[in-house]
Amino acid sequence: MSFRILGTGSALPKRVVTNDDLSGFLDTSDEWIFTRTGIKERRICTDETLDDLAMEASRRALDMAGVAAGDLELIVCSTTTGDHLVPAEACAIAEGLGANCAAFDVSGACAGFVLALDVADGFMARGRASRVLVVAAEQMSRILDWEDRATCVLFGDGAGAAVISADEGESPLAMSFSTTPDVVSLNVQGVSGTCPFRPADHAASTLTMDGRRVFRFGVGAICDAVKSLAGQAGVAVSDIDHFVFHQANERILSAAVKLLDVDDARVVRTLRSTGNISSACIPLALDSLVRSGELKHGELVALVGFGAGLDTGACLLRWEQ
């Protein structure tokens, strides 16, 4: 069984936080941040909830697809920063849209959207769904240590979505998933709780990261995944028309582009204005590519996500208008 993407959508908070804004309370500057990350600004939730962003992105995807929420047979949401631990973010999306289908979350960190696509594909292959809404929604601002300039300058909030349909075509041409087990290098501790039988053994749930380790992993993950996709599909890397990589850091993207020896213009970038939105980066970047008209019928597009775990998820699609 194959699937086709019928529509995409994305949503960002209204509040723009620039590097200069951050320099007002951190020992940093626009130049320091931009030269090390490629980020100029990011969007941060203030009045909006993550539920709001997820539903807005979903509605835009449904509108483009021409699909009513009531016709959905499954909603899969990738998130690690939902508005609630229980129920799933996907359930809140279903309620907001007025859908009554099965709905659940997956947690794959920055590779989560591609993982969610594969989960949806599996439901279709077993004949359990033919119209699926796949969403990635992240409010990274709620898990950051805003006194740590090495991490808090990197991230933002947002959501992206895609409506996919079972299809008899050839797409996806290839999918690739792997884990290089490493829990420490990129980590957010769980909620401590107030159990009287076990005192809290860690501080607040804020993100910690070994930047050098993540950089090396990210570059290698992109290169290995792209080569794996090309090999599975029987095409050359140079035959791939567009690359939608996880938007972690400009230095990671630039290093991978150089090693792969691909045209830099084929690599989608949203990082400058959004920062790293974890699993929402890929669907948001894909939506920008679709709505700009740059992605044409019949072209090949590679999606590569990588992040905490350390997980990698990749997918090669032939785009059908």
Side-chain angles (χ1 to χ4, degrees):
M1 178 63 67
S2 300
F3 67 78
R4 181 161 61 99
I5 296 179
L6 302 179
T8 59
S10 58
L12 292 168
K14 294 178 182 178
R15 175 65 188 271
V16 176
V17 176
T18 67
N19 292 343
D20 287 333
D21 290 332
L22 296 181
S23 68
F25 61 89
L26 290 171
D27 180 16
T28 190
S29 67
D30 174 63
E31 180 183 12
W32 190 93
I33 297 171
F34 183 67
T35 57
R36 288 164 175 78
T37 69
I39 300 168
K40 277 287 188 179
E41 60 187 39
R42 69 287 295 146
R43 301 292 188 94
I44 300 296
C45 287
T46 52
D47 298 329
E48 312 92 343
T49 66
L50 191 62
D51 291 349
D52 293 334
L53 295 180
M55 285 185 282
E56 183 179 351
S58 298
R59 290 190 182 102
R60 289 177 177 175
L62 288 166
D63 287 346
M64 181 186 288
V67 174
D71 293 332
L72 293 172
E73 295 168 302
L74 176 66
I75 299 174
V76 184
C77 180
S78 166
T79 188
T80 54
T81 55
D83 280 342
H84 16 74
L85 293 176
V86 177
E89 188 71 33
C91 294
I93 296 169
E95 183 178 48
L97 296 177
N100 293 304
C101 57
F104 59 85
D105 291 351
V106 297
S107 176
C110 303
F113 179 74
V114 182
L115 176 62
L117 279 180
D118 191 49
V119 170
D121 186 39
F123 270 75
M124 292 178 174
R126 295 191 299 275
R128 295 181 179 174
S130 59
R131 293 281 176 88
V132 181
L133 174 64
V134 181
V135 188
E138 304 284 4
Q139 189 176 338
M140 298 302 292
S141 61
R142 66 175 14 132
I143 60 169
L144 300 176
D145 177 354
W146 285 95
E147 295 181 353
D148 178 12
R149 70 170 187 172
T151 57
C152 74
V153 302
L154 298 172
F155 296 93
D157 304 333
V163 177
I164 68 174
S165 174
D167 191 73
E168 296 300 327
E170 60 177 345
S171 195
L173 282 74
M175 300 194 85
S176 174
F177 299 93
S178 64
T179 300
T180 303
D182 181 345
V183 174
V184 175
S185 292
L186 186 51
N187 181 276
V188 180
Q189 292 286 342
V191 177
S192 295
T194 58
C195 175
F197 304 106
R198 181 176 181 179
D201 55 2
H202 57 78
S205 299
T206 55
L207 183 145
T208 61
M209 182 174 67
D210 180 339
R212 292 183 179 180
R213 167 68 171 138
V214 173
F215 175 89
R216 291 193 299 270
F217 168 73
V219 174
I222 290 175
C223 294
D224 291 346
V226 168
K227 292 173 183 176
S228 174
L229 293 176
Q232 290 179 51
V235 301
V237 170
S238 58
D239 292 332
I240 301 174
D241 300 288
H242 302 279
F243 298 91
V244 182
F245 300 143
H246 170 53
Q247 306 287 298
N249 186 301
E250 177 56 37
R251 289 182 173 180
I252 292 177
L253 298 180
S254 296
V257 166
K258 183 177 181 180
L259 288 172
L260 287 169
D261 192 25
V262 298
D263 182 357
D264 189 76
R266 297 186 181 188
V267 180
V268 184
R269 284 177 169 83
T270 57
L271 181 69
R272 182 187 178 101
S273 59
T274 67
N276 181 345
I277 322 176
S278 189
S279 68
C281 283
I282 287 179
L284 189 145
L286 179 63
D287 185 47
S288 71
L289 189 64
V290 172
R291 292 179 184 272
S292 70
E294 295 178 61
L295 184 53
K296 309 295 185 184
H297 179 78
E299 290 186 328
L300 297 179
V301 55
L303 315 179
V304 182
F306 57 90
L310 297 165
D311 284 339
T312 304
C315 177
L316 181 63
L317 304 172
R318 186 175 298 282
W319 190 254
E320 296 182 52
Q321 195 67 41

